[in-house]
Amino acid sequence: MTRVTRRSMLLALAMVTVAATLMGCTGKNESQGNGKGDQPPSKTAGADSGQAGPGSEEGLPMKDGKYDPPVTITTVKRLAGAVEFKNGETADDNVHYRWAKEKLGIEIKNLWSVKDTNGAYATKLKLALSSNEKMPDVLFASGAEAQLLIDSGKFMEVGELFDKYASDTWKKAMNEDPTVWYEFTRDGKRYGIPNLDYDYNNDPVLWVRGDWMTKLALEPPANLEDYEKLLDAFTNGDPDGDGQDNTYGVSTGLKNFYGDSFGLGWVFGAYGSMPSFWLEQEDGSLAYGSVLPQIKEGLQKLKDWVQKGYIPLESSIWDASKAGSFMSAGSAGSFAGPYWSEAWPMGDLNKNNPDAELITFTLPIGPDGTSMHYGRHPYNGGLFINKDMSNPEIFFTYANYMFDHAADPKVGSEFENGWAQGYDWDIVDGEVTYDLSEIPGGGVRVFFYGLLDQGPRIPSQNVQALVKIAESGKPETPYEKIWGGFVPPIELQSATDVWNSRQFSVKNAFTGGATATMESKWDYLQKLEMETYSKIIFGNEPVEAFDAFVEKWNAQGGERITKEVNEWYKSVTQ
């Protein structure tokens, strides 16, 4: 029985798990602090409060930088998988909510909160919309749910509000990539404020078993030809020394997409296209990367690797979690994923094998020097403001303060060491520590608690800070000390690899939700795409089957969708 045939028998036995991936005080509000309105301010500034709106000259009274009397802002809370509380606190009563009331005079109240596992937050949000439940003053949403909020007509056009009230720090961060607004733009109006995230945070690098490379006397891979030598050695050279034919060149999860952060989209990128991405062409139009002719060379390459036994057949039904577990079990020699992949999904590698060593490299380039890899726009959703919120400037008071003081804290400031002592930092044996395991009672990440999902983030800040620490060997600014205290040394190297290959990062140019034809055709077309790719790579279909797929894709709605996508792109870019 051949190696591939033997492995194909295991395909039906593969168990797949679904992983949750990892995610100025007054600003421009000149009316705040005036307090000369005829109507006394209510103790709530939320929907139906009857207070003056942001266009009025009266504003809400403030004293010493805080609302006096305090005001209330309502929200609904997504509790990501990493969110934890301590000291008996909850999503409704915690150290950050108390800080906001004490420091800014803003009381944050949750209408509801939910642990966001298996899409629970999106499900609850859709149910709330469909049953016409009362919406909060401010909430976070992403993907299809963000589009539903816009369609509902319940939320404000926020572009003018942002222009008027956002602080210079927040605006500067937003302007690092103005395309972050596109997803929330309709007919030239902006209905969601992009919730900024760190740029390059999900770009993949190549993770390799360094101890296996040393044992087999292998050189770092610069291109696909070099990388194939590693794949062959890891597959056939008995790198774990157990005398058995049980290792593979690469572990990957290809269940849902070929072009995501943990997949092998970069192999296609080495030939000039990226599956699942809409790519801008030389004439300025958008084309769907999965149907471009360059894809055929990537399909052929992956098919060759499967036939040579470099890739487990089971990876066709694996997600990132399963692929990471396979790598951490010591069954594969390489893995592509973000700079933090040693923590998840490969977190058990050294637990399983204390002598295992991970090192990282930039992704191998193609035969002619071409390279493209997964990138993501530096935001992870949008922040929406209820049309019935009478004083939306309150949200900007909060967000401005967070961007001006917490995003890049200054020496001697309240956020110099983190958000809250005894929570995300503490002093142990006379030294500041960010190690959650060393904080008495256990540490928690307070930045998950706020109105800004995962806190205020300046896109360019994180990876560059890690690169700077790697180069100098010592963090200098408060931000560098905080984030340098979070990460292990391997992430300083892997973040440097991300930075050194940033010119090859490609972002999906279409972020406009579902077009009219997508609503009825996209699920079918994606299924057709995945089935075709899998049959070619893992099955007996020849690479030439790709041509028939492209023809069918266009005929079954793809051509019309391409037209609609370009109409959207023209509307937002102009």
Side-chain angles (χ1 to χ4, degrees):
M1 184 179 297
T2 68
R3 178 186 179 93
V4 173
T5 303
R6 171 169 57 82
R7 289 175 179 164
S8 66
M9 295 175 63
L10 300 174
L11 187 59
L13 302 177
M15 299 299 293
V16 181
T17 59
V18 179
T21 303
L22 318 146
M23 323 27 192
C25 179
T26 58
K28 297 297 182 181
N29 180 13
E30 297 176 355
S31 66
Q32 292 175 357
N34 189 326
K36 296 181 180 179
D38 295 331
Q39 179 179 354
S42 162
K43 289 184 180 292
T44 175
D48 304 318
S49 67
Q51 295 173 4
S56 75
E57 294 299 319
E58 290 81 4
L60 294 170
M62 299 186 78
K63 182 179 180 181
D64 297 328
K66 62 188 292 186
Y67 290 105
D68 185 15
V71 295
T72 298
I73 188 169
T74 60
T75 190
V76 294
K77 191 63 185 170
R78 178 183 81 99
L79 302 177
V83 176
E84 296 178 340
F85 297 96
K86 65 180 295 184
N87 300 333
E89 296 180 1
T90 66
D92 301 318
D93 179 17
N94 56 69
V95 63
H96 181 67
Y97 279 22
R98 292 194 299 272
W99 170 88
K101 186 173 182 180
E102 293 166 5
K103 184 71 178 183
L104 302 176
I106 298 174
E107 185 173 7
I108 304 173
K109 289 189 175 181
N110 301 326
L111 299 186
W112 51 261
S113 61
V114 64
K115 191 76 171 176
D116 195 19
T117 54
N118 299 322
Y121 179 78
T123 299
K124 191 168 179 63
L125 195 56
K126 285 186 286 188
L127 288 173
L129 281 169
S130 63
S131 59
N132 202 32
E133 290 182 18
K134 179 182 177 181
M135 290 288 106
D137 297 325
V138 176
L139 79 164
F140 167 86
S142 61
E145 290 67 49
Q147 299 302 312
L148 287 175
L149 293 184
I150 298 174
D151 292 339
S152 73
K154 295 177 180 292
F155 295 89
M156 294 184 183
E157 196 283 326
V158 295
E160 291 185 5
L161 290 173
F162 186 85
D163 294 343
K164 179 176 181 180
Y165 291 107
S167 70
D168 290 341
T169 303
W170 194 4
K171 287 179 179 177
K172 184 178 179 181
M174 196 74 72
N175 286 336
E176 288 187 4
D177 183 358
T179 68
V180 298
W181 288 100
Y182 288 179
E183 181 174 347
F184 313 110
T185 300
R186 297 274 185 90
D187 300 321
K189 295 183 178 181
R190 294 166 285 174
Y191 290 92
I193 302 172
N195 190 81
L196 294 176
D197 201 352
Y198 294 129
D199 212 353
Y200 310 115
N201 201 40
N202 292 275
D203 287 44
V205 296
L206 186 65
W207 293 84
V208 178
R209 284 289 298 270
D211 51 324
W212 287 11
M213 286 186 65
T214 299
K215 179 180 178 180
L216 300 175
L218 299 171
E219 296 294 324
N223 52 47
L224 283 183
E225 184 179 359
D226 295 338
Y227 182 54
E228 285 195 49
K229 295 176 183 177
L230 262 70
L231 294 177
D232 185 70
F234 291 159
T235 303
N236 300 309
D238 191 24
D240 59 358
D242 66 357
Q244 299 183 45
D245 183 20
N246 60 358
T247 56
Y248 294 81
V250 59
S251 180
T252 188
L254 304 175
K255 176 187 177 183
N256 299 313
F257 298 101
Y258 278 83
D260 69 7
S261 189
F262 296 96
L264 295 175
W266 56 275
V267 177
F268 295 95
Y271 296 99
S273 189
M274 281 284 290
S276 306
F277 274 46
W278 290 88
L279 306 172
E280 187 168 10
Q281 306 300 290
E282 290 185 3
D283 63 359
S285 66
L286 299 188
Y288 188 51
S290 296
V291 298
L292 293 179
Q294 297 94 321
I295 288 291
K296 290 179 71 173
E297 292 182 275
L299 290 171
Q300 183 64 64
K301 179 59 66 177
L302 294 181
K303 187 177 183 70
D304 291 344
W305 289 357
V306 168
Q307 290 177 340
K308 292 176 179 177
Y310 299 163
I311 304 175
L313 283 172
E314 298 87 345
S315 63
S316 66
I317 57 169
W318 284 351
D319 60 6
S321 179
K322 179 59 181 176
S325 296
F326 193 74
M327 180 75 175
S328 63
S331 299
S334 65
F335 179 86
Y339 77 86
W340 37 262
S341 296
E342 96 294 338
W344 187 92
M346 297 187 292
D348 291 332
L349 177 62
N350 287 114
K351 182 190 302 182
N352 297 333
N353 184 350
D355 296 325
E357 178 195 6
L358 279 175
I359 56 177
T360 64
F361 303 103
T362 57
L363 293 168
I365 62 175
D368 61 355
T370 300
S371 184
M372 299 169 67
H373 66 248
Y374 175 94
R376 196 181 75 177
H377 296 279
Y379 71 102
N380 61 1
L383 298 157
F384 295 82
I385 301 177
N386 196 324
K387 273 188 174 180
D388 292 331
M389 185 179 184
S390 299
N391 290 91
E393 70 270 22
I394 294 169
F395 169 68
F396 288 90
T397 298
Y398 168 88
N400 287 342
Y401 195 94
M402 298 311 297
F403 268 95
D404 290 347
H405 298 277
D408 188 13
K410 302 300 184 285
V411 174
S413 72
E414 61 184 310
F415 296 108
E416 177 180 5
N417 296 315
W419 284 43
Q421 185 173 0
Y423 290 82
D424 58 353
W425 72 277
D426 213 334
I427 298 176
V428 178
D429 297 330
E431 298 289 337
V432 174
T433 182
Y434 305 101
D435 186 336
L436 300 185
S437 65
E438 293 182 358
I439 296 173
V444 293
R445 299 298 185 209
V446 181
F447 60 68
F448 283 117
Y449 299 176
L451 290 173
L452 305 172
D453 195 74
Q454 300 187 46
R457 295 188 166 187
I458 298 171
S460 61
Q461 190 176 31
N462 187 245
V463 168
Q464 290 190 55
L466 298 180
V467 171
K468 185 179 176 184
I469 296 170
E471 291 175 346
S472 67
K474 182 180 179 181
E476 296 177 357
T477 69
Y479 180 89
E480 291 170 9
K481 291 176 182 178
I482 293 171
W483 281 89
F486 284 1
V487 304
I490 184 63
E491 290 191 15
L492 299 179
Q493 175 57 53
S494 56
T496 300
D497 288 325
V498 168
W499 183 250
N500 289 340
S501 60
R502 65 191 182 281
Q503 69 271 30
F504 301 127
S505 180
V506 175
K507 298 175 174 65
N508 192 347
F510 176 65
T511 58
T515 70
T517 307
M518 279 181 173
E519 293 282 358
S520 59
K521 297 289 188 179
W522 195 242
D523 286 346
Y524 165 74
L525 291 177
Q526 286 197 305
K527 181 180 179 182
L528 177 65
E529 175 184 330
M530 291 301 297
E531 287 180 349
T532 302
Y533 280 36
S534 293
K535 287 178 180 179
I536 292 173
I537 294 171
F538 295 97
N540 297 319
E541 289 284 342
V543 174
E544 287 69 28
F546 174 78
D547 298 325
F549 153 70
V550 173
E551 185 176 345
K552 189 173 184 179
W553 187 89
N554 280 303
Q556 294 294 321
E559 185 174 2
R560 178 62 187 171
I561 288 171
T562 301
K563 183 175 184 296
E564 292 170 349
V565 165
N566 277 282
E567 290 171 347
W568 168 86
Y569 193 58
K570 184 177 180 180
S571 73
V572 294
T573 53
Q574 291 183 348

Short mmCIF file of all heavy atoms in Angstrom, two decimals, residues 230-257:
data_model
loop_
_atom_site.label_atom_id
_atom_site.label_comp_id
_atom_site.label_asym_id
_atom_site.label_seq_id
_atom_site.Cartn_x
_atom_site.Cartn_y
_atom_site.Cartn_z
N LEU A 230 12.98 21.36 2.17
CA LEU A 230 12.57 21.16 3.55
C LEU A 230 11.41 20.18 3.63
O LEU A 230 11.40 19.27 4.47
CB LEU A 230 12.16 22.49 4.18
CG LEU A 230 13.19 23.22 5.03
CD1 LEU A 230 14.29 23.78 4.16
CD2 LEU A 230 12.54 24.33 5.84
N LEU A 231 10.41 20.37 2.75
CA LEU A 231 9.24 19.49 2.77
C LEU A 231 9.65 18.03 2.58
O LEU A 231 9.16 17.14 3.28
CB LEU A 231 8.25 19.91 1.68
CG LEU A 231 7.58 21.28 1.83
CD1 LEU A 231 6.69 21.56 0.62
CD2 LEU A 231 6.76 21.35 3.11
N ASP A 232 10.54 17.81 1.63
CA ASP A 232 10.98 16.44 1.35
C ASP A 232 11.74 15.85 2.53
O ASP A 232 11.52 14.70 2.93
CB ASP A 232 11.85 16.41 0.10
CG ASP A 232 12.23 15.00 -0.31
OD1 ASP A 232 11.34 14.25 -0.75
OD2 ASP A 232 13.41 14.64 -0.15
N ALA A 233 12.62 16.67 3.13
CA ALA A 233 13.42 16.17 4.25
C ALA A 233 12.54 15.90 5.47
O ALA A 233 12.71 14.89 6.16
CB ALA A 233 14.50 17.19 4.60
N PHE A 234 11.59 16.80 5.74
CA PHE A 234 10.70 16.59 6.89
C PHE A 234 9.79 15.39 6.70
O PHE A 234 9.40 14.72 7.66
CB PHE A 234 9.85 17.84 7.14
CG PHE A 234 10.61 19.04 7.63
CD1 PHE A 234 10.10 20.31 7.48
CD2 PHE A 234 11.85 18.89 8.25
CE1 PHE A 234 10.78 21.42 7.95
CE2 PHE A 234 12.55 20.00 8.71
CZ PHE A 234 12.02 21.27 8.55
N THR A 235 9.45 15.11 5.44
CA THR A 235 8.56 13.99 5.15
C THR A 235 9.29 12.66 5.11
O THR A 235 8.80 11.64 5.65
CB THR A 235 7.86 14.22 3.79
OG1 THR A 235 7.16 15.46 3.81
CG2 THR A 235 6.87 13.09 3.48
N ASN A 236 10.47 12.65 4.53
CA ASN A 236 11.15 11.37 4.28
C ASN A 236 12.45 11.17 5.07
O ASN A 236 13.05 10.10 4.99
CB ASN A 236 11.46 11.26 2.78
CG ASN A 236 10.20 11.32 1.93
OD1 ASN A 236 9.24 10.59 2.18
ND2 ASN A 236 10.18 12.20 0.94
N GLY A 237 12.88 12.18 5.82
CA GLY A 237 14.18 12.08 6.49
C GLY A 237 14.12 11.68 7.95
O GLY A 237 15.12 11.80 8.65
N ASP A 238 12.96 11.21 8.42
CA ASP A 238 12.78 10.79 9.81
C ASP A 238 13.32 11.84 10.78
O ASP A 238 14.18 11.57 11.63
CB ASP A 238 13.49 9.46 10.06
CG ASP A 238 13.13 8.84 11.41
OD1 ASP A 238 12.04 9.16 11.93
OD2 ASP A 238 13.95 8.07 11.95
N PRO A 239 12.79 13.07 10.71
CA PRO A 239 13.33 14.15 11.54
C PRO A 239 13.12 13.95 13.04
O PRO A 239 13.89 14.50 13.84
CB PRO A 239 12.58 15.39 11.05
CG PRO A 239 11.30 14.86 10.49
CD PRO A 239 11.67 13.55 9.87
N ASP A 240 12.11 13.17 13.42
CA ASP A 240 11.89 12.95 14.86
C ASP A 240 12.66 11.75 15.39
O ASP A 240 12.64 11.46 16.59
CB ASP A 240 10.39 12.80 15.16
CG ASP A 240 9.75 11.65 14.40
OD1 ASP A 240 10.44 10.99 13.60
OD2 ASP A 240 8.54 11.42 14.61
N GLY A 241 13.36 11.04 14.49
CA GLY A 241 14.25 9.97 14.90
C GLY A 241 13.59 8.74 15.50
O GLY A 241 14.26 7.97 16.20
N ASP A 242 12.31 8.52 15.19
CA ASP A 242 11.66 7.35 15.77
C ASP A 242 11.67 6.14 14.84
O ASP A 242 11.11 5.09 15.16
CB ASP A 242 10.23 7.67 16.19
CG ASP A 242 9.30 7.99 15.01
OD1 ASP A 242 9.79 8.03 13.85
OD2 ASP A 242 8.10 8.21 15.24
N GLY A 243 12.30 6.32 13.66
CA GLY A 243 12.41 5.21 12.73
C GLY A 243 11.12 4.86 12.00
O GLY A 243 11.04 3.84 11.32
N GLN A 244 10.12 5.73 12.10
CA GLN A 244 8.83 5.46 11.46
C GLN A 244 8.52 6.50 10.38
O GLN A 244 9.01 7.62 10.43
CB GLN A 244 7.71 5.46 12.51
CG GLN A 244 7.87 4.41 13.59
CD GLN A 244 6.70 4.42 14.56
OE1 GLN A 244 5.54 4.48 14.15
NE2 GLN A 244 7.00 4.36 15.85
N ASP A 245 7.68 6.08 9.45
CA ASP A 245 7.27 6.94 8.35
C ASP A 245 6.01 7.71 8.77
O ASP A 245 4.91 7.40 8.33
CB ASP A 245 6.99 6.06 7.12
CG ASP A 245 6.62 6.88 5.89
OD1 ASP A 245 6.94 8.08 5.85
OD2 ASP A 245 6.00 6.30 4.98
N ASN A 246 6.17 8.70 9.64
CA ASN A 246 4.98 9.33 10.25
C ASN A 246 5.07 10.84 10.37
O ASN A 246 4.39 11.44 11.21
CB ASN A 246 4.76 8.72 11.64
CG ASN A 246 5.95 8.91 12.57
OD1 ASN A 246 6.97 9.48 12.18
ND2 ASN A 246 5.82 8.44 13.80
N THR A 247 5.88 11.49 9.56
CA THR A 247 5.97 12.94 9.60
C THR A 247 5.67 13.53 8.22
O THR A 247 5.80 12.85 7.20
CB THR A 247 7.37 13.41 10.04
OG1 THR A 247 8.36 12.83 9.18
CG2 THR A 247 7.64 12.99 11.48
N TYR A 248 5.29 14.78 8.24
CA TYR A 248 4.91 15.48 7.02
C TYR A 248 5.68 16.79 6.92
O TYR A 248 6.16 17.33 7.91
CB TYR A 248 3.41 15.78 7.02
CG TYR A 248 2.54 14.56 6.95
CD1 TYR A 248 2.27 13.80 8.08
CD2 TYR A 248 1.97 14.15 5.74
CE1 TYR A 248 1.47 12.68 8.03
CE2 TYR A 248 1.16 13.03 5.68
CZ TYR A 248 0.91 12.29 6.82
OH TYR A 248 0.12 11.18 6.76
N GLY A 249 5.71 17.33 5.70
CA GLY A 249 6.42 18.57 5.48
C GLY A 249 5.72 19.78 6.06
O GLY A 249 6.35 20.66 6.64
N VAL A 250 4.38 19.82 5.91
CA VAL A 250 3.64 21.00 6.34
C VAL A 250 2.28 20.59 6.87
O VAL A 250 1.64 19.66 6.35
CB VAL A 250 3.48 22.01 5.18
CG1 VAL A 250 2.77 21.41 3.99
CG2 VAL A 250 2.77 23.29 5.63
N SER A 251 1.84 21.25 7.91
CA SER A 251 0.49 21.08 8.42
C SER A 251 -0.31 22.32 8.06
O SER A 251 0.17 23.46 8.23
CB SER A 251 0.51 20.90 9.94
OG SER A 251 -0.80 20.73 10.45
N THR A 252 -1.52 22.14 7.57
CA THR A 252 -2.34 23.27 7.16
C THR A 252 -3.80 22.91 7.25
O THR A 252 -4.17 21.73 7.23
CB THR A 252 -1.98 23.71 5.71
OG1 THR A 252 -2.66 24.93 5.40
CG2 THR A 252 -2.37 22.64 4.71
N GLY A 253 -4.66 23.90 7.39
CA GLY A 253 -6.09 23.69 7.44
C GLY A 253 -6.76 24.32 6.24
O GLY A 253 -6.73 25.54 6.07
N LEU A 254 -7.39 23.50 5.41
CA LEU A 254 -7.96 23.99 4.15
C LEU A 254 -9.46 23.73 4.06
O LEU A 254 -10.03 23.67 2.98
CB LEU A 254 -7.24 23.33 2.96
CG LEU A 254 -5.72 23.52 2.92
CD1 LEU A 254 -5.11 22.72 1.78
CD2 LEU A 254 -5.36 24.99 2.79
N LYS A 255 -10.10 23.57 5.21
CA LYS A 255 -11.52 23.24 5.22
C LYS A 255 -12.39 24.33 4.62
O LYS A 255 -13.30 24.07 3.85
CB LYS A 255 -11.98 22.94 6.65
CG LYS A 255 -13.47 22.68 6.78
CD LYS A 255 -13.89 22.56 8.23
CE LYS A 255 -15.39 22.37 8.34
NZ LYS A 255 -15.84 22.34 9.75
N ASN A 256 -12.11 25.58 5.01
CA ASN A 256 -13.01 26.67 4.66
C ASN A 256 -12.51 27.56 3.54
O ASN A 256 -13.28 28.01 2.70
CB ASN A 256 -13.28 27.52 5.90
CG ASN A 256 -13.94 26.73 7.01
OD1 ASN A 256 -14.90 26.01 6.77
ND2 ASN A 256 -13.43 26.84 8.22
N PHE A 257 -11.20 27.86 3.53
CA PHE A 257 -10.63 28.74 2.52
C PHE A 257 -9.21 28.29 2.19
O PHE A 257 -8.54 27.66 3.00
CB PHE A 257 -10.59 30.20 3.01
CG PHE A 257 -11.93 30.78 3.30
CD1 PHE A 257 -12.39 30.89 4.61
CD2 PHE A 257 -12.75 31.24 2.29
CE1 PHE A 257 -13.63 31.42 4.90
CE2 PHE A 257 -14.00 31.78 2.56
CZ PHE A 257 -14.44 31.87 3.87
#
